[in-house]
Amino acid sequence: MNKFFRQIRLKSMEKNKTGRYFKYAIGEIILVVIGILIALQINNWNEARKQKAVEISYLKRLLVDLENDEKLWISTHDRRKRQVEIIHEVIGLKYEPNDERLNLEILGAKLKMACTWHDINPNQQTFTEMLSSGNLDIIENDSIKTKLINLNTDYKSIANWDETVEASHSRIFDETLSLYDIRDSAPFDDLFSNYNNMKFTPEQKASAYFSMQQSFNQIMDSKVMFNILHMMSDNYHRQLGEFKQLKEDASELVDLIRSEIKQRIND
């Protein structure tokens, strides 16, 4: 095309037809500009296509994280609700002592369940990566971005609250250590027998069992132990509503992101 215009330009100059020369020169400039604009448009289209692919990839990763969070909040709610129930079952033994108080296996299992600590670790990897890399704005849907930010704030709040509960758990652990000698459980502990082939005599077992009974009686009569247990159960109980709300918020975001992925793929 450029060769064609050069030939016309040369012929026009030779014939001293200045008017025609300028017309062809302007036409050549217009074609060059159009070519540049087309190239820019293609480049912009390619960049938009790449950004769309990155956005969809992030949305899919967020979807996986949030689906796991849904399960986390359900399991955490159910586990801590059960711990609250068990704590109050054990507290109730003070007023209605029965065979359970004397059955160390049942009582020990309940206390273990009540006092076992489970960290809460929501899936924040994708959101944190987007935030730190400045890629959060790549999500076009403002509702999704706002909900992600709000959910992240709620996650931090529940984590801070849980630190208080963990402190109560640590105090229970310390109190239990002061009242209970783990060595007394060795003759009845499957884990101990798996790593030690030691054989206990009936007398040793009877002595260990008697010591365990004394320890559990001290635990059951410990005001410090049950005051802390009650504080922990109160915190657990108040957290239950928060876990339900976090599950609902995560579910709402899951539905919104699924819809957005479908729409973005079809665009």
Side-chain angles (χ1 to χ4, degrees):
M1 182 65 72
N2 290 335
K3 183 178 180 181
F4 172 74
F5 275 107
R6 280 199 300 272
Q7 290 176 348
I8 295 177
R9 184 165 61 245
L10 290 172
K11 290 181 180 179
S12 297
M13 292 177 67
E14 290 172 358
K15 296 179 181 179
N16 200 25
K17 295 180 179 179
T18 306
R20 291 183 62 189
Y21 166 74
F22 279 117
K23 288 181 182 180
Y24 286 117
I26 291 172
E28 185 176 359
I29 293 171
I30 291 173
L31 282 178
V32 170
V33 170
I34 290 173
I36 293 172
L37 291 175
I38 291 173
L40 288 173
Q41 184 64 31
I42 292 173
N43 183 65
N44 290 339
W45 180 82
N46 284 331
E47 288 300 317
R49 182 172 57 83
K50 291 177 183 177
Q51 183 165 312
K52 177 182 175 181
V54 173
E55 179 190 10
I56 292 174
S57 176
Y58 272 127
L59 288 172
K60 287 181 177 179
R61 289 174 58 191
L62 285 168
L63 186 60
V64 172
D65 288 351
L66 289 165
E67 286 174 338
N68 288 329
D69 284 346
E70 285 183 284
K71 298 173 185 176
L72 170 69
W73 299 125
I74 292 172
S75 63
T76 301
H77 172 277
D78 293 347
R79 181 176 58 250
R80 293 207 168 169
K81 182 180 179 182
R82 180 57 184 151
Q83 286 179 295
V84 172
E85 293 170 350
I86 289 176
I87 287 171
H88 289 282
E89 286 176 13
V90 174
I91 290 175
L93 292 178
K94 176 179 176 61
Y95 303 96
E96 293 183 1
N98 53 39
D99 291 343
E100 279 192 21
R101 181 164 183 170
L102 301 176
N103 190 322
L104 300 187
E105 185 178 350
I106 294 176
L107 183 58
K110 286 192 172 185
L111 284 172
K112 183 178 181 180
M113 171 63 182
C115 299
T116 298
W117 178 254
H118 298 273
D119 287 320
I120 300 176
N121 295 307
N123 297 274
Q124 290 287 84
Q125 183 176 351
T126 304
F127 177 80
T128 302
E129 178 187 321
M130 295 177 70
L131 204 61
S132 61
S133 64
N135 282 329
L136 187 60
D137 285 337
I138 205 169
I139 305 296
E140 290 190 1
N141 190 313
D142 290 334
S143 293
I144 291 178
K145 286 189 288 189
T146 300
K147 290 181 183 297
L148 281 171
I149 293 170
N150 291 339
L151 191 61
N152 180 64
T153 301
D154 292 339
Y155 282 4
K156 289 180 179 178
S157 296
I158 200 68
N160 291 334
W161 188 356
D162 221 42
E163 287 181 5
T164 303
V165 183
E166 187 176 11
S168 297
H169 173 269
S170 296
R171 292 179 63 193
I172 288 178
F173 184 72
D174 292 339
E175 180 68 11
T176 303
L177 288 179
S178 70
L179 300 173
Y180 178 72
D181 189 342
I182 192 63
R183 293 173 297 180
D184 293 332
S185 66
F188 316 100
D189 189 350
D190 292 336
L191 184 61
F192 180 84
S193 62
N194 285 338
Y195 290 92
N196 192 314
N197 60 1
M198 184 175 180
K199 302 299 181 183
F200 293 95
T201 66
E203 292 76 15
Q204 287 174 320
K205 289 184 178 181
S207 176
Y209 192 82
F210 178 77
S211 296
M212 288 174 64
Q213 282 183 317
Q214 298 303 307
S215 295
F216 273 99
N217 284 336
Q218 290 184 72
I219 290 173
M220 293 298 296
D221 293 334
S222 169
K223 290 189 293 185
V224 173
M225 180 76 173
F226 279 90
N227 285 343
I228 300 172
L229 271 175
H230 188 272
M231 288 172 53
M232 192 166 72
S233 72
D234 180 64
N235 269 302
Y236 280 173
H237 172 71
R238 290 188 291 117
Q239 283 181 334
L240 296 180
E242 298 296 324
F243 296 144
K244 280 188 175 180
Q245 187 60 54
L246 287 169
K247 189 272 175 186
E248 291 174 6
D249 292 343
S251 296
E252 184 179 342
L253 251 175
V254 164
D255 292 339
L256 191 58
I257 290 175
R258 280 176 180 163
S259 176
E260 184 70 11
I261 290 174
K262 184 177 180 180
Q263 180 180 332
R264 301 292 290 132
I265 290 175
N266 293 331
D267 282 347

